[in-house]
Short mmCIF file of all heavy atoms in Angstrom, two decimals:
data_model
loop_
_atom_site.label_atom_id
_atom_site.label_comp_id
_atom_site.label_asym_id
_atom_site.label_seq_id
_atom_site.Cartn_x
_atom_site.Cartn_y
_atom_site.Cartn_z
N MET A 1 41.39 4.51 -7.06
CA MET A 1 40.76 4.61 -5.71
C MET A 1 39.20 4.61 -5.74
O MET A 1 38.46 5.32 -4.88
CB MET A 1 41.34 5.67 -4.94
CG MET A 1 42.76 5.52 -4.45
SD MET A 1 42.80 4.78 -2.71
CE MET A 1 42.16 6.13 -1.83
N ALA A 2 38.56 4.13 -6.80
CA ALA A 2 37.24 4.18 -6.87
C ALA A 2 36.52 3.15 -5.94
O ALA A 2 36.92 1.94 -6.02
CB ALA A 2 36.71 3.87 -8.35
N LEU A 3 35.65 3.71 -5.15
CA LEU A 3 35.08 2.80 -4.23
C LEU A 3 33.69 2.26 -4.81
O LEU A 3 32.77 3.13 -4.73
CB LEU A 3 34.82 3.56 -2.93
CG LEU A 3 34.39 2.66 -1.71
CD1 LEU A 3 35.58 1.74 -1.27
CD2 LEU A 3 33.91 3.51 -0.58
N GLU A 4 33.74 1.23 -5.41
CA GLU A 4 32.39 0.85 -6.06
C GLU A 4 31.65 -0.10 -5.18
O GLU A 4 32.14 -0.89 -4.44
CB GLU A 4 32.75 0.18 -7.41
CG GLU A 4 33.14 0.96 -8.49
CD GLU A 4 33.27 0.30 -9.82
OE1 GLU A 4 32.22 -0.45 -10.11
OE2 GLU A 4 34.28 0.47 -10.54
N THR A 5 30.39 0.16 -5.37
CA THR A 5 29.44 -0.71 -4.57
C THR A 5 29.01 -1.81 -5.45
O THR A 5 28.90 -1.69 -6.65
CB THR A 5 28.20 0.10 -3.99
OG1 THR A 5 27.58 0.70 -5.07
CG2 THR A 5 28.59 0.99 -2.92
N THR A 6 28.81 -2.97 -4.95
CA THR A 6 28.49 -4.14 -5.84
C THR A 6 27.06 -4.10 -6.12
O THR A 6 26.60 -4.71 -7.12
CB THR A 6 28.80 -5.44 -5.06
OG1 THR A 6 28.35 -5.37 -3.78
CG2 THR A 6 30.28 -5.71 -5.10
N LEU A 7 26.36 -3.33 -5.37
CA LEU A 7 24.87 -3.37 -5.65
C LEU A 7 24.53 -2.12 -6.49
O LEU A 7 24.20 -1.02 -6.13
CB LEU A 7 24.15 -3.16 -4.25
CG LEU A 7 22.71 -3.67 -4.23
CD1 LEU A 7 22.68 -5.15 -4.35
CD2 LEU A 7 22.15 -3.32 -2.87
N ARG A 8 24.74 -2.41 -7.79
CA ARG A 8 24.52 -1.09 -8.64
C ARG A 8 23.25 -1.25 -9.48
O ARG A 8 22.68 -0.24 -10.15
CB ARG A 8 25.61 -0.96 -9.65
CG ARG A 8 26.24 -2.27 -10.27
CD ARG A 8 27.15 -1.87 -11.39
NE ARG A 8 28.30 -1.09 -10.92
CZ ARG A 8 29.19 -0.70 -11.87
NH1 ARG A 8 29.05 -0.91 -13.19
NH2 ARG A 8 30.30 -0.04 -11.54
N GLU A 9 22.61 -2.49 -9.43
CA GLU A 9 21.44 -2.63 -10.00
C GLU A 9 20.13 -2.19 -9.28
O GLU A 9 20.22 -2.36 -8.02
CB GLU A 9 21.14 -4.08 -10.40
CG GLU A 9 22.03 -4.67 -11.41
CD GLU A 9 21.82 -6.21 -11.64
OE1 GLU A 9 20.81 -6.53 -11.60
OE2 GLU A 9 22.84 -6.88 -11.76
N PRO A 10 19.27 -1.51 -9.91
CA PRO A 10 18.22 -1.11 -8.99
C PRO A 10 17.29 -2.37 -8.61
O PRO A 10 17.11 -3.39 -9.34
CB PRO A 10 17.31 -0.40 -10.02
CG PRO A 10 17.70 -0.77 -11.36
CD PRO A 10 19.11 -1.19 -11.29
N ILE A 11 16.83 -2.34 -7.36
CA ILE A 11 16.14 -3.54 -6.83
C ILE A 11 14.64 -3.45 -7.11
O ILE A 11 14.04 -2.44 -6.72
CB ILE A 11 16.34 -3.62 -5.34
CG1 ILE A 11 17.91 -3.66 -4.95
CG2 ILE A 11 15.63 -4.80 -4.85
CD1 ILE A 11 18.32 -3.49 -3.52
N HIS A 12 14.29 -4.45 -7.82
CA HIS A 12 12.80 -4.44 -8.05
C HIS A 12 12.05 -5.47 -7.21
O HIS A 12 12.23 -6.68 -7.42
CB HIS A 12 12.48 -4.60 -9.54
CG HIS A 12 12.84 -3.40 -10.26
ND1 HIS A 12 12.10 -2.30 -10.30
CD2 HIS A 12 13.77 -3.19 -11.28
CE1 HIS A 12 12.52 -1.37 -11.13
NE2 HIS A 12 13.69 -1.96 -11.75
N LEU A 13 11.38 -5.10 -6.27
CA LEU A 13 10.72 -6.05 -5.43
C LEU A 13 9.31 -6.18 -6.09
O LEU A 13 8.52 -5.24 -5.98
CB LEU A 13 10.65 -5.61 -4.02
CG LEU A 13 11.91 -5.58 -3.26
CD1 LEU A 13 11.64 -4.87 -1.81
CD2 LEU A 13 12.47 -6.95 -3.04
N THR A 14 9.12 -7.26 -6.66
CA THR A 14 7.74 -7.53 -7.18
C THR A 14 6.85 -8.13 -5.98
O THR A 14 7.03 -9.28 -5.79
CB THR A 14 7.69 -8.44 -8.36
OG1 THR A 14 8.65 -9.48 -8.25
CG2 THR A 14 8.11 -7.66 -9.58
N ASP A 15 6.19 -7.15 -5.38
CA ASP A 15 5.33 -7.65 -4.24
C ASP A 15 4.01 -8.09 -4.69
O ASP A 15 3.37 -7.50 -5.48
CB ASP A 15 5.07 -6.45 -3.41
CG ASP A 15 4.78 -6.78 -1.92
OD1 ASP A 15 3.89 -7.80 -1.82
OD2 ASP A 15 5.34 -6.21 -1.00
N PRO A 16 3.60 -9.32 -4.26
CA PRO A 16 2.31 -9.88 -4.77
C PRO A 16 1.16 -8.88 -4.25
O PRO A 16 0.00 -8.99 -4.82
CB PRO A 16 2.10 -11.21 -4.10
CG PRO A 16 3.21 -11.16 -3.06
CD PRO A 16 4.31 -10.33 -3.50
N LEU A 17 1.30 -8.12 -3.24
CA LEU A 17 0.36 -7.28 -2.74
C LEU A 17 0.05 -6.26 -3.69
O LEU A 17 -1.01 -5.75 -3.65
CB LEU A 17 0.83 -6.55 -1.38
CG LEU A 17 1.04 -7.51 -0.12
CD1 LEU A 17 1.80 -6.59 0.86
CD2 LEU A 17 -0.30 -7.82 0.36
N GLU A 18 0.86 -5.91 -4.57
CA GLU A 18 0.74 -4.82 -5.48
C GLU A 18 -0.49 -5.11 -6.38
O GLU A 18 -1.30 -4.20 -6.80
CB GLU A 18 1.93 -4.70 -6.27
CG GLU A 18 2.17 -3.34 -6.94
CD GLU A 18 3.39 -3.15 -7.66
OE1 GLU A 18 3.63 -3.73 -8.75
OE2 GLU A 18 4.34 -2.61 -6.98
N ALA A 19 -0.65 -6.35 -6.81
CA ALA A 19 -1.79 -6.69 -7.72
C ALA A 19 -3.06 -7.01 -7.04
O ALA A 19 -4.16 -6.94 -7.65
CB ALA A 19 -1.31 -7.96 -8.43
N GLU A 20 -2.94 -6.98 -5.72
CA GLU A 20 -4.13 -7.29 -4.89
C GLU A 20 -4.78 -6.08 -4.32
O GLU A 20 -3.96 -5.20 -3.78
CB GLU A 20 -3.78 -8.13 -3.82
CG GLU A 20 -4.77 -9.02 -3.25
CD GLU A 20 -4.24 -9.85 -2.06
OE1 GLU A 20 -3.14 -10.47 -2.36
OE2 GLU A 20 -4.83 -9.94 -1.05
N ALA A 21 -6.03 -5.84 -4.52
CA ALA A 21 -6.67 -4.67 -3.84
C ALA A 21 -6.76 -4.74 -2.41
O ALA A 21 -7.20 -5.88 -1.98
CB ALA A 21 -8.06 -4.47 -4.53
N PRO A 22 -6.44 -3.73 -1.74
CA PRO A 22 -6.57 -3.78 -0.18
C PRO A 22 -8.02 -3.76 0.20
O PRO A 22 -8.88 -3.23 -0.61
CB PRO A 22 -5.74 -2.69 0.26
CG PRO A 22 -5.79 -1.63 -0.86
CD PRO A 22 -5.88 -2.49 -2.12
N GLN A 23 -8.26 -4.29 1.24
CA GLN A 23 -9.77 -4.29 1.77
C GLN A 23 -9.80 -3.36 2.96
O GLN A 23 -9.55 -3.90 4.09
CB GLN A 23 -10.16 -5.75 2.01
CG GLN A 23 -10.08 -6.57 0.87
CD GLN A 23 -11.06 -7.81 1.02
OE1 GLN A 23 -11.08 -8.42 2.08
NE2 GLN A 23 -11.71 -8.23 -0.16
N PRO A 24 -10.32 -2.13 2.75
CA PRO A 24 -10.46 -1.29 3.86
C PRO A 24 -11.61 -1.70 4.79
O PRO A 24 -12.52 -2.27 4.24
CB PRO A 24 -10.79 0.11 3.23
CG PRO A 24 -11.36 -0.21 1.97
CD PRO A 24 -10.70 -1.64 1.46
N VAL A 25 -11.39 -1.51 6.04
CA VAL A 25 -12.42 -1.88 6.98
C VAL A 25 -13.59 -0.69 6.96
O VAL A 25 -13.28 0.52 7.04
CB VAL A 25 -11.84 -1.99 8.38
CG1 VAL A 25 -12.95 -2.15 9.45
CG2 VAL A 25 -10.98 -3.15 8.41
N ARG A 26 -14.80 -1.13 6.76
CA ARG A 26 -15.89 -0.20 6.74
C ARG A 26 -15.99 0.50 7.96
O ARG A 26 -15.97 0.02 9.12
CB ARG A 26 -17.12 -0.96 6.48
CG ARG A 26 -17.53 -1.24 5.11
CD ARG A 26 -18.64 -2.11 4.83
NE ARG A 26 -18.83 -2.49 3.56
CZ ARG A 26 -19.70 -1.94 2.79
NH1 ARG A 26 -20.42 -0.93 3.15
NH2 ARG A 26 -19.86 -2.39 1.57
N GLY A 27 -16.16 1.82 7.88
CA GLY A 27 -16.35 2.52 9.09
C GLY A 27 -15.05 3.11 9.61
O GLY A 27 -15.02 3.90 10.51
N CYS A 28 -13.93 2.77 9.17
CA CYS A 28 -12.64 3.22 9.55
C CYS A 28 -12.22 4.35 8.54
O CYS A 28 -11.93 4.09 7.47
CB CYS A 28 -11.53 2.04 9.56
SG CYS A 28 -10.03 2.58 10.10
N ASP A 29 -12.16 5.49 9.04
CA ASP A 29 -11.91 6.66 8.25
C ASP A 29 -10.43 6.59 7.72
O ASP A 29 -10.14 6.86 6.62
CB ASP A 29 -11.95 7.94 9.16
CG ASP A 29 -13.28 8.28 9.56
OD1 ASP A 29 -14.29 7.76 8.90
OD2 ASP A 29 -13.52 9.21 10.40
N MET A 30 -9.51 6.12 8.59
CA MET A 30 -8.19 5.99 8.17
C MET A 30 -8.01 4.99 6.97
O MET A 30 -7.36 5.31 5.96
CB MET A 30 -7.36 5.51 9.34
CG MET A 30 -5.86 5.62 9.18
SD MET A 30 -5.26 4.15 8.24
CE MET A 30 -3.45 4.36 8.57
N CYS A 31 -8.68 3.83 7.01
CA CYS A 31 -8.63 2.92 6.01
C CYS A 31 -9.27 3.47 4.60
O CYS A 31 -8.79 3.31 3.56
CB CYS A 31 -9.32 1.52 6.33
SG CYS A 31 -8.35 0.59 7.57
N GLU A 32 -10.30 4.09 4.86
CA GLU A 32 -11.16 4.59 3.77
C GLU A 32 -10.26 5.69 2.99
O GLU A 32 -10.28 5.81 1.77
CB GLU A 32 -12.46 5.07 4.06
CG GLU A 32 -13.28 3.80 4.30
CD GLU A 32 -14.74 4.12 4.84
OE1 GLU A 32 -15.10 5.34 4.98
OE2 GLU A 32 -15.45 3.19 5.04
N SER A 33 -9.67 6.49 3.79
CA SER A 33 -8.89 7.66 3.12
C SER A 33 -7.69 7.01 2.40
O SER A 33 -7.34 7.46 1.31
CB SER A 33 -8.55 8.75 4.08
OG SER A 33 -7.47 8.30 4.99
N ARG A 34 -7.04 6.09 3.19
CA ARG A 34 -5.80 5.34 2.53
C ARG A 34 -6.30 4.66 1.27
O ARG A 34 -5.58 4.62 0.31
CB ARG A 34 -5.22 4.37 3.52
CG ARG A 34 -4.55 4.98 4.63
CD ARG A 34 -3.20 5.45 4.23
NE ARG A 34 -2.34 5.81 5.33
CZ ARG A 34 -2.40 6.89 6.05
NH1 ARG A 34 -3.30 7.89 5.69
NH2 ARG A 34 -1.55 7.11 7.05
N PHE A 35 -7.56 4.11 1.25
CA PHE A 35 -8.00 3.31 0.10
C PHE A 35 -8.23 4.22 -1.01
O PHE A 35 -7.79 4.03 -2.17
CB PHE A 35 -9.30 2.66 0.54
CG PHE A 35 -9.75 1.63 -0.63
CD1 PHE A 35 -8.98 0.48 -1.00
CD2 PHE A 35 -10.97 1.84 -1.25
CE1 PHE A 35 -9.37 -0.16 -1.97
CE2 PHE A 35 -11.42 0.92 -2.24
CZ PHE A 35 -10.59 -0.04 -2.68
N GLY A 36 -8.60 5.48 -0.73
CA GLY A 36 -8.93 6.42 -1.85
C GLY A 36 -7.65 6.90 -2.44
O GLY A 36 -7.53 6.94 -3.67
N GLN A 37 -6.69 7.02 -1.60
CA GLN A 37 -5.29 7.43 -2.02
C GLN A 37 -4.62 6.16 -2.94
O GLN A 37 -4.00 6.30 -3.82
CB GLN A 37 -4.27 7.62 -0.91
CG GLN A 37 -4.62 8.98 -0.24
CD GLN A 37 -3.72 9.07 1.08
OE1 GLN A 37 -2.58 8.76 1.12
NE2 GLN A 37 -4.38 9.55 2.12
N TRP A 38 -4.99 4.97 -2.36
CA TRP A 38 -4.48 3.76 -3.15
C TRP A 38 -5.03 3.60 -4.53
O TRP A 38 -4.38 3.30 -5.42
CB TRP A 38 -4.88 2.54 -2.25
CG TRP A 38 -4.40 1.36 -2.92
CD1 TRP A 38 -3.24 0.57 -3.02
CD2 TRP A 38 -5.20 0.49 -3.85
NE1 TRP A 38 -3.27 -0.43 -3.70
CE2 TRP A 38 -4.43 -0.65 -4.32
CE3 TRP A 38 -6.63 0.57 -4.27
CZ2 TRP A 38 -4.96 -1.54 -5.20
CZ3 TRP A 38 -7.06 -0.37 -5.12
CH2 TRP A 38 -6.29 -1.45 -5.65
N ARG A 39 -6.29 3.90 -4.57
CA ARG A 39 -6.99 3.86 -5.91
C ARG A 39 -6.35 4.98 -6.88
O ARG A 39 -6.07 4.57 -8.06
CB ARG A 39 -8.54 4.06 -5.81
CG ARG A 39 -9.10 2.82 -5.25
CD ARG A 39 -10.60 3.08 -4.97
NE ARG A 39 -11.46 3.42 -6.11
CZ ARG A 39 -12.71 3.59 -6.10
NH1 ARG A 39 -13.35 3.66 -5.00
NH2 ARG A 39 -13.35 3.82 -7.25
N GLU A 40 -5.97 6.09 -6.36
CA GLU A 40 -5.41 7.01 -7.26
C GLU A 40 -3.98 6.59 -7.57
O GLU A 40 -3.50 6.62 -8.78
CB GLU A 40 -5.28 8.44 -6.44
CG GLU A 40 -6.66 9.10 -6.40
CD GLU A 40 -7.25 9.39 -7.70
OE1 GLU A 40 -6.51 10.16 -8.48
OE2 GLU A 40 -8.28 9.01 -8.06
N ALA A 41 -3.22 6.15 -6.64
CA ALA A 41 -1.82 5.74 -6.86
C ALA A 41 -1.71 4.51 -7.65
O ALA A 41 -0.72 4.28 -8.27
CB ALA A 41 -1.14 5.52 -5.52
N SER A 42 -2.75 3.67 -7.66
CA SER A 42 -2.64 2.45 -8.56
C SER A 42 -3.29 2.57 -9.84
O SER A 42 -3.46 1.60 -10.63
CB SER A 42 -3.20 1.30 -7.73
OG SER A 42 -4.63 1.48 -7.47
N ASN A 43 -3.82 3.66 -10.13
CA ASN A 43 -4.39 4.01 -11.50
C ASN A 43 -3.52 4.57 -12.51
O ASN A 43 -3.20 5.85 -12.24
CB ASN A 43 -5.69 4.89 -11.27
CG ASN A 43 -6.44 5.16 -12.50
OD1 ASN A 43 -5.96 4.72 -13.55
ND2 ASN A 43 -7.42 5.97 -12.48
N PRO A 44 -2.96 3.91 -13.38
CA PRO A 44 -2.15 4.50 -14.39
C PRO A 44 -2.55 5.71 -14.99
O PRO A 44 -1.71 6.66 -15.53
CB PRO A 44 -1.89 3.35 -15.32
CG PRO A 44 -2.34 2.10 -14.71
CD PRO A 44 -3.28 2.50 -13.77
N ARG A 45 -3.78 6.02 -15.16
CA ARG A 45 -4.31 7.13 -15.73
C ARG A 45 -4.50 8.38 -14.74
O ARG A 45 -4.77 9.42 -15.23
CB ARG A 45 -5.70 6.87 -16.29
CG ARG A 45 -5.61 5.91 -17.50
CD ARG A 45 -7.04 5.70 -18.08
NE ARG A 45 -6.92 4.79 -19.11
CZ ARG A 45 -8.05 4.36 -19.86
NH1 ARG A 45 -9.16 4.80 -19.65
NH2 ARG A 45 -7.83 3.54 -20.79
N SER A 46 -4.19 8.05 -13.59
CA SER A 46 -4.35 9.23 -12.60
C SER A 46 -3.01 9.97 -12.64
O SER A 46 -1.97 9.42 -12.83
CB SER A 46 -4.62 8.54 -11.24
OG SER A 46 -4.40 9.56 -10.14
N THR A 47 -3.14 11.22 -12.25
CA THR A 47 -1.91 12.02 -12.19
C THR A 47 -1.19 11.71 -10.89
O THR A 47 0.05 12.03 -10.78
CB THR A 47 -2.36 13.61 -12.07
OG1 THR A 47 -3.28 13.77 -11.14
CG2 THR A 47 -2.86 14.07 -13.31
N ALA A 48 -1.84 11.03 -10.03
CA ALA A 48 -1.27 10.70 -8.66
C ALA A 48 -0.73 9.26 -8.80
O ALA A 48 -0.32 8.57 -7.81
CB ALA A 48 -2.16 10.78 -7.52
N TYR A 49 -0.68 8.65 -9.99
CA TYR A 49 -0.15 7.34 -10.10
C TYR A 49 1.34 7.12 -9.56
O TYR A 49 2.17 7.82 -9.96
CB TYR A 49 -0.06 7.03 -11.64
CG TYR A 49 0.31 5.54 -11.84
CD1 TYR A 49 -0.33 4.45 -11.38
CD2 TYR A 49 1.42 5.38 -12.80
CE1 TYR A 49 0.08 3.17 -11.64
CE2 TYR A 49 1.84 4.05 -13.13
CZ TYR A 49 1.13 2.99 -12.52
OH TYR A 49 1.50 1.76 -12.90
N ASP A 50 1.42 6.21 -8.71
CA ASP A 50 2.73 5.98 -8.07
C ASP A 50 2.69 4.47 -7.47
O ASP A 50 2.16 4.28 -6.34
CB ASP A 50 2.88 6.87 -6.91
CG ASP A 50 4.28 6.75 -6.31
OD1 ASP A 50 5.03 5.84 -6.44
OD2 ASP A 50 4.73 7.73 -5.53
N PRO A 51 3.09 3.58 -8.31
CA PRO A 51 2.94 2.01 -7.85
C PRO A 51 3.51 1.70 -6.59
O PRO A 51 3.07 0.98 -5.73
CB PRO A 51 3.61 1.32 -8.97
CG PRO A 51 3.72 2.21 -10.09
CD PRO A 51 3.70 3.68 -9.60
N SER A 52 4.70 2.41 -6.20
CA SER A 52 5.33 1.91 -5.02
C SER A 52 4.60 2.56 -3.84
O SER A 52 4.51 1.91 -2.71
CB SER A 52 6.89 2.38 -5.07
OG SER A 52 7.06 3.75 -5.01
N HIS A 53 4.03 3.66 -3.98
CA HIS A 53 3.28 4.32 -2.93
C HIS A 53 1.95 3.55 -2.77
O HIS A 53 1.54 3.30 -1.66
CB HIS A 53 3.03 5.79 -3.34
CG HIS A 53 2.28 6.50 -2.26
ND1 HIS A 53 2.63 6.61 -0.99
CD2 HIS A 53 1.12 7.25 -2.41
CE1 HIS A 53 1.73 7.31 -0.27
NE2 HIS A 53 0.86 7.78 -1.08
N ALA A 54 1.45 3.11 -3.86
CA ALA A 54 0.24 2.25 -3.79
C ALA A 54 0.55 1.08 -2.98
O ALA A 54 -0.36 0.56 -2.05
CB ALA A 54 -0.18 1.84 -5.23
N THR A 55 1.61 0.39 -3.10
CA THR A 55 1.97 -0.68 -2.43
C THR A 55 2.11 -0.33 -0.92
O THR A 55 1.66 -1.15 -0.11
CB THR A 55 3.33 -1.43 -2.84
OG1 THR A 55 3.22 -1.61 -4.26
CG2 THR A 55 3.70 -2.74 -2.09
N ASP A 56 2.69 0.64 -0.64
CA ASP A 56 2.84 1.12 0.73
C ASP A 56 1.44 1.43 1.39
O ASP A 56 1.30 0.86 2.56
CB ASP A 56 3.59 2.54 0.81
CG ASP A 56 5.05 2.29 0.53
OD1 ASP A 56 5.55 1.17 0.53
OD2 ASP A 56 5.75 3.29 0.44
N LEU A 57 0.60 1.99 0.68
CA LEU A 57 -0.62 2.23 1.05
C LEU A 57 -1.46 0.88 1.37
O LEU A 57 -2.21 0.65 2.39
CB LEU A 57 -1.52 3.07 0.23
CG LEU A 57 -0.99 4.51 0.00
CD1 LEU A 57 -1.67 5.20 -1.16
CD2 LEU A 57 -1.39 5.32 1.24
N ALA A 58 -1.41 -0.01 0.46
CA ALA A 58 -2.06 -1.32 0.56
C ALA A 58 -1.57 -2.05 1.85
O ALA A 58 -2.38 -2.74 2.57
CB ALA A 58 -1.74 -2.22 -0.62
N ILE A 59 -0.28 -1.97 2.02
CA ILE A 59 0.25 -2.68 3.28
C ILE A 59 -0.20 -1.94 4.58
O ILE A 59 -0.62 -2.56 5.48
CB ILE A 59 1.88 -2.66 3.24
CG1 ILE A 59 2.32 -3.55 2.19
CG2 ILE A 59 2.47 -3.04 4.54
CD1 ILE A 59 3.77 -3.45 1.74
N GLU A 60 -0.36 -0.62 4.40
CA GLU A 60 -0.75 0.12 5.53
C GLU A 60 -2.24 -0.25 5.90
O GLU A 60 -2.53 -0.45 7.09
CB GLU A 60 -0.67 1.66 5.26
CG GLU A 60 0.25 2.36 6.18
CD GLU A 60 0.19 3.84 5.97
OE1 GLU A 60 0.76 4.36 4.94
OE2 GLU A 60 -0.41 4.64 6.77
N ILE A 61 -3.04 -0.37 4.93
CA ILE A 61 -4.38 -0.70 5.12
C ILE A 61 -4.52 -2.16 5.77
O ILE A 61 -5.27 -2.37 6.68
CB ILE A 61 -5.21 -0.62 3.81
CG1 ILE A 61 -5.24 0.78 3.32
CG2 ILE A 61 -6.51 -1.32 3.85
CD1 ILE A 61 -5.75 0.98 1.90
N LYS A 62 -3.68 -3.08 5.18
CA LYS A 62 -3.79 -4.42 5.72
C LYS A 62 -3.21 -4.61 7.11
O LYS A 62 -3.75 -5.34 7.83
CB LYS A 62 -2.88 -5.38 4.81
CG LYS A 62 -3.58 -5.67 3.51
CD LYS A 62 -2.70 -6.48 2.52
CE LYS A 62 -3.31 -6.53 1.17
NZ LYS A 62 -3.64 -7.92 0.89
N ARG A 63 -2.29 -3.80 7.48
CA ARG A 63 -1.77 -3.77 8.83
C ARG A 63 -2.53 -2.91 9.74
O ARG A 63 -2.10 -2.90 10.99
CB ARG A 63 -0.21 -3.45 8.66
CG ARG A 63 0.47 -4.42 8.06
CD ARG A 63 2.04 -4.17 8.20
NE ARG A 63 2.81 -5.17 7.48
CZ ARG A 63 4.03 -4.96 7.29
NH1 ARG A 63 4.79 -3.91 7.73
NH2 ARG A 63 4.70 -6.01 6.64
N HIS A 64 -3.45 -2.08 9.27
CA HIS A 64 -4.06 -1.16 10.25
C HIS A 64 -4.85 -1.99 11.39
O HIS A 64 -5.61 -2.91 10.97
CB HIS A 64 -5.04 -0.27 9.56
CG HIS A 64 -5.44 0.97 10.41
ND1 HIS A 64 -6.68 1.31 10.36
CD2 HIS A 64 -4.66 1.78 11.05
CE1 HIS A 64 -6.83 2.33 11.19
NE2 HIS A 64 -5.66 2.66 11.63
N PRO A 65 -4.45 -1.77 12.57
CA PRO A 65 -5.05 -2.54 13.58
C PRO A 65 -6.54 -2.10 13.96
O PRO A 65 -6.87 -0.95 13.76
CB PRO A 65 -4.20 -2.24 14.80
CG PRO A 65 -3.50 -1.01 14.64
CD PRO A 65 -3.37 -0.80 13.16
N HIS A 66 -7.34 -3.08 14.11
CA HIS A 66 -8.76 -2.74 14.42
C HIS A 66 -9.16 -3.59 15.54
O HIS A 66 -9.94 -4.64 15.40
CB HIS A 66 -9.63 -3.06 13.12
CG HIS A 66 -9.33 -2.23 11.96
ND1 HIS A 66 -8.52 -2.64 10.96
CD2 HIS A 66 -9.58 -0.99 11.61
CE1 HIS A 66 -8.52 -1.72 10.07
NE2 HIS A 66 -9.03 -0.64 10.47
N GLU A 67 -8.77 -3.17 16.71
CA GLU A 67 -9.05 -3.89 17.94
C GLU A 67 -10.55 -3.97 18.14
O GLU A 67 -11.18 -4.97 18.62
CB GLU A 67 -8.36 -3.22 19.16
CG GLU A 67 -6.94 -3.49 19.11
CD GLU A 67 -6.40 -4.88 19.15
OE1 GLU A 67 -7.22 -5.63 19.98
OE2 GLU A 67 -5.51 -5.37 18.65
N TRP A 68 -11.13 -2.84 17.86
CA TRP A 68 -12.67 -2.64 18.14
C TRP A 68 -13.39 -3.70 17.32
O TRP A 68 -14.60 -3.96 17.66
CB TRP A 68 -13.12 -1.33 17.83
CG TRP A 68 -12.69 -0.78 16.51
CD1 TRP A 68 -11.55 0.00 16.27
CD2 TRP A 68 -13.29 -0.90 15.25
NE1 TRP A 68 -11.39 0.23 15.03
CE2 TRP A 68 -12.51 -0.23 14.31
CE3 TRP A 68 -14.48 -1.53 14.79
CZ2 TRP A 68 -12.86 -0.16 12.91
CZ3 TRP A 68 -14.90 -1.50 13.47
CH2 TRP A 68 -13.99 -0.91 12.46
N LYS A 69 -12.94 -4.17 16.28
CA LYS A 69 -13.63 -5.12 15.42
C LYS A 69 -13.99 -6.51 16.11
O LYS A 69 -14.98 -7.07 16.05
CB LYS A 69 -12.70 -5.47 14.14
CG LYS A 69 -13.49 -5.35 12.87
CD LYS A 69 -12.63 -5.46 11.74
CE LYS A 69 -11.80 -6.77 11.74
NZ LYS A 69 -11.12 -7.04 10.46
N LYS A 70 -13.12 -6.78 17.14
CA LYS A 70 -13.23 -8.01 17.85
C LYS A 70 -14.48 -7.96 18.75
O LYS A 70 -15.12 -8.98 19.04
CB LYS A 70 -11.95 -8.34 18.59
CG LYS A 70 -10.80 -8.82 17.84
CD LYS A 70 -9.62 -8.96 18.70
CE LYS A 70 -8.42 -9.11 17.82
NZ LYS A 70 -7.07 -9.02 18.69
N THR A 71 -14.64 -6.76 19.24
CA THR A 71 -15.73 -6.58 20.33
C THR A 71 -17.04 -6.32 19.57
O THR A 71 -18.07 -6.32 20.25
CB THR A 71 -15.40 -5.39 21.35
OG1 THR A 71 -15.05 -4.27 20.50
CG2 THR A 71 -14.25 -5.81 22.11
N ALA A 72 -17.04 -5.94 18.31
CA ALA A 72 -18.25 -5.68 17.60
C ALA A 72 -19.04 -6.94 17.52
O ALA A 72 -18.57 -7.98 17.20
CB ALA A 72 -18.05 -5.07 16.25
N ARG A 73 -20.35 -6.82 17.65
CA ARG A 73 -21.32 -8.09 17.52
C ARG A 73 -22.03 -8.06 16.29
O ARG A 73 -22.27 -7.14 15.65
CB ARG A 73 -22.11 -8.30 18.74
CG ARG A 73 -22.45 -7.00 19.41
CD ARG A 73 -23.29 -7.11 20.66
NE ARG A 73 -24.00 -5.98 20.89
CZ ARG A 73 -25.23 -5.69 21.30
NH1 ARG A 73 -25.99 -6.82 21.16
NH2 ARG A 73 -25.71 -4.50 21.46
ZN1 LIG B 101 -8.40 1.06 9.55
#
């Protein structure tokens, strides 16, 4: 009566974002702090090295809305 799941292999999503450095928006504290965390998380020599977290941070930076940017001249 073993209930086996067919999905036993770990899923590795190779996200192209991972290799790409996020571009924080200048003057945005949120982006800059996330970028600092991203650099730590994407640095294999850092104690905070965490590639999947780095990907999350990169996505967060890219998706961070900056409505005020449109009105800036
Ligand atoms: Zn931002």
Side-chain angles (χ1 to χ4, degrees):
M1 283 267 292
L3 193 74
E4 282 190 48
T5 53
T6 47
L7 205 69
R8 44 166 63 182
E9 289 174 40
I11 303 166
H12 287 291
L13 291 174
T14 38
D15 199 320
L17 287 172
E18 204 172 79
E20 202 179 314
Q23 298 199 322
V25 171
R26 275 170 186 263
C28 177
D29 290 344
M30 195 276 197
C31 283
E32 284 175 4
S33 74
R34 287 284 190 277
F35 187 62
Q37 290 172 39
W38 175 84
R39 282 172 69 179
E40 287 298 304
S42 61
N43 178 5
R45 290 182 181 181
S46 169
T47 51
Y49 181 58
D50 185 347
S52 69
H53 186 50
T55 305
D56 288 347
L57 289 166
I59 290 168
E60 240 182 290
I61 292 168
K62 282 176 191 248
R63 289 185 181 171
H64 196 226
H66 298 101
E67 291 295 325
W68 47 269
K69 230 170 57 169
K70 291 176 189 169
T71 52
R73 24 185 197 128

